[in-house]
Amino acid sequence: MDHEIRAKAKPQAADSRELTRLRRQLLRWGAAHGRDLPWRRGRDAYRVWVSEIMLQQTTVVAVIPYFERFLARFPTLAALAAADEHDVLRLWEGLGYYSRARNVHAAARQVVRDHASVVPDDVATLQTLPGIGRYTAGAIASFAYDRRAPVVEANTLRVYMRLLALREPTDSTAARNAVWEFAERAVPLHSAGKFNEALMDLGATVCVPVSPRCNQCPVISCCEAFRKGVQTEIPLPKRRPEPTAVSQAMIAVRRGGRYLLRKSPPGERWHGLWEFLRVPLDDGSDSKNEKRKRHKQAQPAAARLEQAVTALCGLAVDSNADGFELRHTVTRFRISLLCLTARFRSGTPQGPAEYRWARPAEFANFAFSMPARKFADRLAANGSGE
Ligand code: SF4
């Protein structure tokens, strides 16, 4: 790789001088141009931690209102640890990737139990907590405690790759290893948190994915990609796997003015969140073309859906043939959900999941999966049923 060739060709003293220059220029720029974000007000480790977990796979703009609501409801680590998981998930609803919420809740309890309610300040101990990997541990240690720990996330990864002129996709193991190794050396002994923040801000506002604004860049003189004129080619596009199509039906079974809700048990997608009854529309073995064809077909046979409901929870229902389709993408799955209503005939819901009958006016009290919330909102807008 370019940076390895360069590292061999340049004496260590020159590298040190260049790193010193990089730190100085970045810290000066960060002091003047750093973003004012709610979790940066104060250096409380709990606030930093919650924000970093929320920011995984999610934009700053989307996170801000969730962060403020979450901190208003759980202002301290002790408050979060004492909370019911359902309340945590309810506040997380809509942010997606719900394992993050379950992990932060479990980790808060672990900190109370094993660390006297104090968030650890070293990377190794932080990584023993659920949901905290190398990046998040570095962020908490450096932002909250100013420990000398690097931070490599989407923005800083891109900046580092350009500084080093690494012509690789961002998911390349070789590139990530090279970046982590460089980041370990680049992060300063003092002001590590400020350095990491400035690097993240640079990636978010100047060294952006498309058309980096090199003429505004404080570290242009340290940038190998700019020297070579290849900054727009780095990083290389990822080799994305073909998404897996999943076809399911979500059935709202109505009894009087109430609908049956099911809480997804562990091991299922949307574990811990409430839904209506979700049953497969295919066995996952169809070819892609057959699946597309099925999406365009008329509604599946009511009898088949009624049998699927009985198999899921033991209820006998009369399915309504009219429904609408919701599309939802999560990780590598492209989910098509056919939303239908059905009328209760007989039986008592059974199985490993928890069930409740609820009126539409009560839906706001439940933490729903994103598609179930859309369906619930539509049912509530149509009135309370019978
Ligand atoms: Fe990014 Fe350009 Fe700055 Fe290099 S000079 S770090 S490519 S903005």
Side-chain angles (χ1 to χ4, degrees):
M1 284 176 292
D2 290 349
H3 89 288
E4 286 170 346
I5 295 163
R6 191 168 148 256
K8 280 175 195 152
K10 291 186 101 183
Q12 189 59 40
D15 275 350
S16 298
R17 274 203 303 275
E18 201 158 313
L19 287 180
T20 302
R21 185 150 45 97
L22 174 73
R23 292 171 190 140
R24 196 176 52 238
Q25 291 171 344
L26 205 50
L27 284 168
R28 195 181 303 143
W29 179 85
H33 300 278
R35 291 173 295 175
D36 177 28
L37 300 170
W39 43 88
R40 291 185 180 175
R41 293 166 204 152
R43 292 281 145 185
D44 179 62
Y46 169 65
R47 291 169 64 87
V48 170
W49 175 16
V50 171
S51 69
E52 289 302 330
I53 299 291
M54 286 187 169
L55 285 163
Q56 291 168 9
Q57 319 270 354
T58 314
T59 63
V60 165
V61 173
V63 163
I64 288 174
Y66 280 91
F67 175 81
E68 289 179 336
R69 274 198 299 272
F70 198 89
L71 266 290
R73 175 72 179 77
F74 307 120
T76 63
L77 182 122
L80 176 60
D84 187 84
E85 185 184 89
H86 179 265
D87 292 338
V88 178
L89 289 171
R90 180 72 187 89
L91 278 175
W92 209 275
E93 189 190 308
L95 204 52
Y97 301 99
Y98 296 95
S99 60
R100 296 181 299 175
R102 286 188 290 272
N103 281 335
V104 81
H105 184 227
R109 291 184 167 182
Q110 195 170 318
V111 170
V112 167
R113 191 183 61 234
D114 300 341
H115 302 283
S117 301
V118 178
V119 179
D121 64 356
D122 69 284
V123 167
T125 310
L126 282 163
Q127 287 187 85
T128 65
L129 299 172
I132 297 189
R134 189 176 182 185
Y135 155 68
T136 308
I140 297 169
S142 66
F143 297 156
Y145 300 114
D146 209 28
R147 293 281 180 270
R148 190 182 183 210
V151 162
V152 179
E153 43 73 80
N155 282 317
T156 57
L157 177 64
R158 182 175 60 257
V159 178
Y160 278 130
M161 287 182 74
R162 286 173 173 165
L163 288 174
L164 296 168
L166 292 175
R167 292 185 209 224
E168 300 270 349
T170 52
D171 56 356
S172 144
T173 305
R176 281 179 175 266
N177 289 343
V179 163
W180 273 107
E181 186 269 330
F182 180 75
E184 295 272 3
R185 288 194 293 126
V187 68
L189 190 56
H190 302 292
S191 303
K194 294 285 179 200
F195 174 87
N196 287 332
E197 275 181 7
L199 203 67
M200 289 166 87
D201 291 349
L202 187 74
T205 61
V206 176
C207 194
V208 290
V210 179
S211 306
R213 301 174 188 121
C214 301
N215 58 349
Q216 299 169 25
C217 181
V219 295
I220 190 169
S221 64
C222 308
C223 183
E224 194 65 11
F226 181 79
R227 261 177 226 152
K228 294 179 171 171
V230 294
Q231 63 272 26
T232 55
E233 296 162 30
I234 295 174
L236 297 180
K238 276 188 195 172
R239 296 172 282 267
R240 291 186 188 279
E242 181 77 6
T244 304
V246 175
S247 289
Q248 297 179 325
M250 192 181 277
I251 303 167
V253 177
R254 195 179 62 223
R255 183 181 193 181
R258 291 186 163 85
Y259 289 91
L260 183 62
L261 304 182
R262 177 179 186 270
K263 190 176 185 182
S264 293
E268 285 191 9
R269 191 192 311 282
W270 298 307
H271 154 211
L273 296 174
W274 291 89
E275 303 182 276
F276 301 97
L277 304 183
R278 190 157 45 88
V279 297
L281 282 181
D282 62 46
D283 60 6
S285 60
D286 292 1
S287 74
K288 206 161 55 182
N289 283 342
E290 284 169 332
K291 280 181 181 167
R292 283 205 190 104
K293 205 167 129 198
R294 177 168 289 166
H295 285 314
K296 290 179 182 158
Q297 279 175 347
Q299 315 300 356
R304 206 167 130 237
L305 288 173
E306 290 162 8
Q307 283 164 12
V309 168
T310 306
L312 178 71
C313 65
L315 287 194
V317 301
D318 293 319
S319 168
N320 185 343
D322 292 327
F324 67 95
E325 188 186 22
L326 278 178
R327 287 174 180 268
H328 186 74
T329 300
V330 55
T331 58
R332 61 183 182 81
F333 296 98
R334 202 171 49 230
I335 302 167
S336 162
L337 275 176
L338 182 61
C339 298
L340 300 159
T341 57
R343 197 170 56 80
F344 170 82
R345 262 199 292 141
S346 63
T348 304
Q350 295 161 2
E354 192 180 332
Y355 291 92
R356 299 263 179 85
W357 291 97
R359 296 182 187 284
E362 297 166 328
F363 287 168
N365 302 329
F366 292 85
F368 279 115
S369 68
M370 183 93 88
R373 174 63 68 193
K374 287 183 183 165
F375 193 11
D377 286 348
R378 196 180 283 217
L379 290 169
N382 288 344
S384 59
E386 293 172 349

